[in-house]
């Protein structure tokens, strides 16, 4: 190439590069979006960059919460799936979700709610024998400071995370309490300890009928359930009522273990998964319950509780009594993203089929004996519980047979 031509080529190349740079600067400045045939990730990156530039330039507060913006962007991506059960978790939400699955956590044994209008945080429950009660906290106390810092302007999640932590973690809590018509300030020190969530309660009913109520399914539920059934067996139970009303579900693994404890050898559920293929769960017959069983369900019985009730119904091991269940026949898996972008993601990864190969997604379980409740949830398990009364009648007939 001749010297003159080479110089012209170089000048042209430089001019071209400058034009491309100018073009990119202008499109970014004016928020112009150029569409190419590219991946979803590229499209997301460009949209996020444009939106961020507008926030940086025009949003009236300078200290924009960058991490929160990125977290909500991730939440929006998952929300776009249109699946109510799939969600992106922040790191704190992921931790709380895993605590629900595990069934234990390090805390003080108190429940707190936040008033949406005033931002005040009220202690609504203090568990008996837990650190909160031992420290002197009471239901109705308003939590105003944690370790000397005001908490009115922070979220309830942030406040709770400041109290919860590892076993032995100490927190100084300042609360306002009404005593003798006056509001007084109290300062208490609480220490976190391992708390196992009690998800199973039991009692012996008239006629030697065992009653076991399961509020949700987690890792600790399995032992609590087995202990309850075993204890009632030793007391001479002739039949069993398992109450799954308003049980929203939980761990599928725990549910399978409990079914294995109740049923003889045979099929339980088939989990259909796009990635892993079909997986059949079975009971092993290492032990099983051989007395009559009635399972109570209602519209609040969902997911794992429907797996349990549906398997018991299909295997002819129990009579289902109550009202039609919620109808959630799909499976979610939680993935931790802490080693990459932080937080986690819960995605619907498949559906399950009951032993009869039916899927109850959107349909629910139809009880063998339909009995509507009186409508007062506070009476569930009590003397005025119409469904429980009918369950006792049905169980008594089975015992006599």
């Amino acid at each position: 190439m001749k010297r003159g031509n080479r110089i012209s080529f170089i000048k042209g190349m430089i001019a071209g590069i400058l034009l491309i740079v100018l073009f990119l600067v202008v499109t970014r400045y004016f928020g112009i979006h150029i569409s190419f045939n590219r991946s979803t990730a590229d499209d997301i990156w460009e949209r996020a960059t444009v939106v961020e530039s507008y926030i940086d330039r025009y949003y009236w507060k300078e200290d924009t919460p960058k991490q929160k913006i990125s977290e909500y962007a991730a939440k929006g991506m998952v929300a776009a799936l249109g699946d109510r059960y799939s969600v992106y978790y922040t790191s704190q939400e992921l931790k709380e979700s895993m605590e629900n699955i595990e069934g234990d956590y390090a805390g003080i044994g108190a429940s707190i709610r936040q008033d949406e209008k005033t931002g005040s945080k009220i202690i609504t429950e203090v568990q008996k024998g837990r650190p909160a009660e031992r420290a002197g906290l009471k239901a109705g106390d308003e939590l105003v400071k944690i370790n000397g810092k005001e908490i009115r302007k922070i979220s309830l999640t942030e406040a709770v995370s400041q109290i919860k932590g590892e076993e032995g973690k100490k927190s100084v809590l300042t609360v306002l309490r009404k005593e003798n018509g006056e509001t007084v300030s109290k300062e208490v020190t609480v220490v976190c300890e391992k708390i196992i969530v009690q998800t199973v309660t039991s009692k012996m009913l008239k006629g030697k009928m065992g009653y076991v109520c399961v509020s949700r399914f987690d890792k600790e539920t399995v032992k609590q359930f087995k202990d309850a059934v075993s204890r009632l067996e030793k007391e001479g139970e002739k039949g069993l009522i398992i109450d799954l009303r308003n049980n929203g579900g939980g761990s599928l693994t725990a549910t399978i273990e409990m079914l294995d404890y109740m049923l003889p050898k045979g099929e339980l559920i088939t989990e259909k998964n796009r990635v892993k293929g079909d997986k059949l769960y079975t009971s092993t017959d290492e032990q099983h319950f051989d007395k009559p069983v009635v399972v109570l369900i209602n519209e609040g019985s969902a997911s794992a509780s429907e797996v349990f009730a549906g398997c018991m119904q299909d295997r002819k091991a129990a009579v289902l009594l109550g009202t039609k269940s919620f109808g959630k026949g799909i499976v979610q898996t939680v993935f931790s993203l802490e080693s990459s972008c932080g937080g986690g993601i819960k995605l619907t990864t498949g559906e399950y089929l009951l032993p009869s190969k039916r899927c109850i997604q959107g349909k629910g379980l139809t009880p063998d004996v339909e009995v509507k409740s009186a409508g007062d949830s506070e009476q569930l398990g009590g003397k005025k519980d119409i469904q429980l009364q009918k369950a006792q009648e049905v169980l008594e007939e089975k015992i006599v047979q």
Side-chain angles (χ1 to χ4, degrees):
M1 184 182 291
K2 293 182 179 180
R3 178 181 172 81
N5 290 339
R6 188 163 56 247
I7 293 173
S8 297
F9 174 77
I10 293 172
K11 285 182 178 180
M13 186 174 65
I14 293 172
I17 293 173
L18 290 174
L19 282 172
I20 292 172
V21 171
L22 179 62
F23 173 77
L24 292 174
V25 170
V26 170
T27 54
R28 174 166 179 144
Y29 183 83
F30 289 102
I32 300 172
H33 177 70
I34 308 299
S35 179
F36 300 99
N37 184 17
R38 58 187 183 277
S39 69
T40 302
D42 291 332
D43 191 46
I44 291 170
W45 181 86
E46 183 167 338
R47 287 177 186 273
T49 301
V50 172
V51 172
E52 183 184 29
S53 70
Y54 273 83
I55 292 173
D56 289 342
R57 193 181 310 156
Y58 297 114
Y59 187 59
W60 74 291
K61 290 184 178 180
E62 292 186 7
D63 55 337
T64 55
K66 300 291 185 182
Q67 183 177 344
K68 200 167 189 178
I69 289 174
S70 65
E71 288 174 343
Y72 272 76
K75 284 181 179 290
M77 286 175 63
V78 181
L81 298 174
D83 179 2
R84 61 185 291 191
Y85 302 111
S86 293
V87 63
Y88 170 81
Y89 290 132
T90 64
S91 293
Q92 181 60 34
E93 290 168 344
L94 176 65
K95 182 180 178 183
E96 292 173 358
S97 175
M98 297 313 295
E99 285 176 352
N100 287 333
I101 294 173
E102 292 297 317
D104 60 56
Y105 65 95
I108 64 171
S111 299
I112 308 172
R113 71 169 179 84
Q114 178 167 299
D115 188 297
E116 295 300 323
K117 292 182 179 179
T118 65
S120 59
K121 295 159 183 69
I122 310 298
I123 296 175
T124 56
E125 179 191 13
V126 176
Q127 297 173 20
K128 190 173 182 180
R130 301 301 190 189
E133 185 194 49
R134 296 199 299 268
L137 292 174
K138 297 181 179 180
D141 287 349
E142 179 184 352
L143 183 61
V144 292
K145 291 182 182 180
I146 299 175
N147 297 323
K149 295 182 179 180
E150 295 278 351
I151 62 167
R152 185 176 291 273
K153 293 184 179 180
I154 67 174
S155 69
L156 179 59
T157 300
E158 290 175 295
V160 171
S161 67
Q162 288 183 23
I163 300 171
K164 291 171 66 176
E166 300 296 325
E167 289 184 68
K169 177 183 176 181
K170 292 184 179 181
S171 299
V172 178
L173 309 182
T174 305
V175 299
L176 298 180
R177 179 185 302 166
K178 287 189 176 181
E179 290 184 350
N180 301 320
E182 296 184 359
T183 300
V184 297
S185 177
K186 299 279 186 179
E187 192 173 272
V188 300
T189 300
V190 290
V191 181
C192 288
E193 68 179 27
K194 184 177 180 180
I195 294 177
I196 296 175
V197 181
Q198 191 66 35
T199 57
V200 178
T201 56
S202 62
K203 60 184 175 181
M204 187 69 82
L205 301 175
K206 186 178 179 181
K208 289 290 182 177
M209 298 181 197
Y211 171 82
V212 177
C213 179
V214 183
S215 61
R216 67 169 285 106
F217 292 86
D218 59 41
K219 188 175 73 173
E220 296 293 338
T221 305
V222 179
K223 183 179 184 304
Q224 293 176 19
F225 179 78
K226 291 180 178 179
D227 287 348
V229 175
S230 177
R231 184 173 61 254
L232 291 169
E233 279 280 85
K234 291 176 181 177
E235 293 177 15
E237 69 178 353
K238 297 178 180 179
L240 183 64
I241 297 172
I242 302 174
D243 193 345
L244 300 181
R245 290 173 295 177
N246 298 329
N247 181 323
S251 168
L252 180 62
T253 302
T255 310
I256 296 299
E257 285 189 51
M258 290 163 62
L259 283 167
D260 189 24
Y261 180 74
M262 293 295 294
L263 294 170
K265 187 175 183 178
E267 292 188 8
L268 297 177
I269 67 166
T270 301
E271 182 182 348
K272 302 184 75 64
N273 186 290
R274 191 186 75 180
V275 178
K276 299 179 181 179
D278 294 356
K279 180 178 180 180
L280 175 64
Y281 292 88
T282 60
S283 46
T284 62
D285 202 24
E286 290 180 4
Q287 69 280 305
H288 68 269
F289 190 80
D290 58 2
K291 295 183 176 71
V293 179
V294 174
V295 177
L296 288 168
I297 59 171
N298 64 4
E299 61 281 356
S301 306
S303 192
S305 61
E306 290 176 294
V307 169
F308 187 95
C311 284
M312 294 290 285
Q313 184 182 46
D314 277 10
R315 294 282 298 273
K316 310 299 182 186
V319 174
L320 263 57
L321 187 147
T323 53
K324 182 173 285 190
S325 64
F326 182 80
K328 183 173 180 287
I330 50 181
V331 180
Q332 281 73 46
T333 304
V334 178
F335 302 93
S336 174
L337 306 177
E338 291 290 52
S339 61
S340 53
C341 63
I345 185 170
K346 181 176 73 171
L347 290 176
T348 297
T349 53
E351 67 176 9
Y352 68 80
L353 304 179
L354 292 172
S356 62
K357 305 308 176 188
R358 58 177 170 150
C359 179
I360 54 98
Q361 174 63 22
K363 302 173 184 176
L365 294 167
T366 300
D368 300 302
V369 181
E370 184 174 4
V371 180
K372 294 182 179 180
S373 69
D376 188 352
S377 61
E378 293 184 358
Q379 295 299 322
L380 295 184
K383 294 181 179 180
K384 297 182 180 180
D385 188 339
I386 298 173
Q387 293 172 326
L388 179 57
Q389 290 174 5
K390 184 62 177 179
Q392 289 176 264
E393 292 176 15
V394 172
L395 189 60
E396 187 176 19
E397 291 177 3
K398 291 286 182 181
I399 293 172
V400 170
Q401 292 175 6

